[in-house]
C-alpha cells in the first residue's frame, strides 16, 4: 500500500503543511517538505525488459496498459544477435545478418554460447570447428574472436 499525502478536494485546498478547517473527517495532512516524495505505482511508471537470446534479442516495455515488444528500425520485433565488421564499417542486427554471405569471416553470430567460457573449455573447442570465424585465446584465458577491422587484425 502506498500512502499519498497532499490530496484535498477542490473545495478544501489549503497551503502546504496545514489542515483543512471544514471538518475533522475531511482533514487530510499534507506532506511535509522534509519527507521524501511518495511513489505512485501504475500511473507513469514503465519497466523495460531486454532479452539477450542466442539468435535474437527482444526489448519490451511493461506499462499500465500491458506489455509491448518494441520494433527495431526494420519494423521487426526481434533483432538478430549478429555483428559485422567491414574494412571501414560496423553493422549490428539485421544489417549485419544480411552481410553473412558476403563477409562471412568478419560477421560474428552465435557467439553467446562462448561468452564467459575459457578458451580451453571442451564446448568452445567443439564449437570452434563449426564456426566460420576464427577464435583465439585472450590474455585472461577466455575465448575471443579474431576479426579484421580498419585494415588490421584485432582480437
Amino acid at each position: 500500500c502506498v500512502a499519498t499525502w497532499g490530496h484535498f478536494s477542490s473545495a478544501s485546498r489549503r497551503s502546504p503543511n496545514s489542515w483543512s478547517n471544514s471538518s475533522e473527517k475531511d482533514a487530510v495532512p499534507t506532506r511535509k517538505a522534509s519527507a521524501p516524495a511518495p511513489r505512485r505505482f501504475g500511473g507513469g511508471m514503465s519497466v523495460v525488459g531486454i532479452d539477450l537470446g542466442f539468435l535474437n534479442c527482444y526489448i519490451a516495455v511493461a506499462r499500465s496498459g500491458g506489455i509491448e515488444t518494441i520494433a527495431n528500425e526494420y519494423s521487426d520485433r526481434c533483432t538478430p544477435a549478429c555483428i559485422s565488421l567491414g574494412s571501414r564499417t560496423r553493422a549490428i542486427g539485421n544489417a549485419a545478418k544480411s552481410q553473412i554471405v558476403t563477409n562471412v569471416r568478419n560477421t560474428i553470430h552465435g557467439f553467446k554460447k562462448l561468452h564467459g567460457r575459457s578458451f580451453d573449455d571442451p564446448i568452445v573447442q567443439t564449437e570452434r570447428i563449426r564456426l566460420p570465424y576464427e577464435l583465439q585465446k585472450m590474455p585472461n584465458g577466455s575465448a575471443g574472436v579474431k576479426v579484421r577491422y580498419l585494415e588490421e587484425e584485432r582480437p
Side-chain angles (χ1 to χ4, degrees), residues 14-89:
R14 302 284 181 217
S15 64
N17 298 324
S18 67
W19 289 85
S20 172
N21 292 330
S22 61
S23 71
E24 182 102 357
K25 66 180 173 110
D26 293 331
V28 178
T30 60
R31 180 177 47 89
K32 293 186 179 182
S34 61
R39 291 195 164 225
R40 302 185 87 199
F41 297 101
M45 183 178 247
S46 298
V47 177
V48 175
I50 302 173
D51 175 15
L52 301 174
F54 177 68
L55 295 175
N56 295 306
C57 302
Y58 297 88
I59 299 175
V61 177
R63 297 184 182 134
S64 59
I67 298 174
E68 176 187 357
T69 304
I70 305 298
N72 61 17
E73 67 270 13
Y74 293 92
S75 298
D76 290 335
R77 299 208 181 275
C78 68
T79 302
C82 193
I83 302 166
S84 182
L85 301 167
S87 59
R88 299 220 179 262
T89 61

Side-chain angles (χ1 to χ4, degrees), residues 119 128 134-139 141-147 153-155:
F119 184 77
R128 184 178 179 192
E134 187 178 341
L135 296 180
Q136 74 177 42
K137 189 172 188 172
M138 301 300 287
S142 65
V145 179
K146 186 176 180 181
V147 294
E153 296 282 330
R154 296 180 185 214

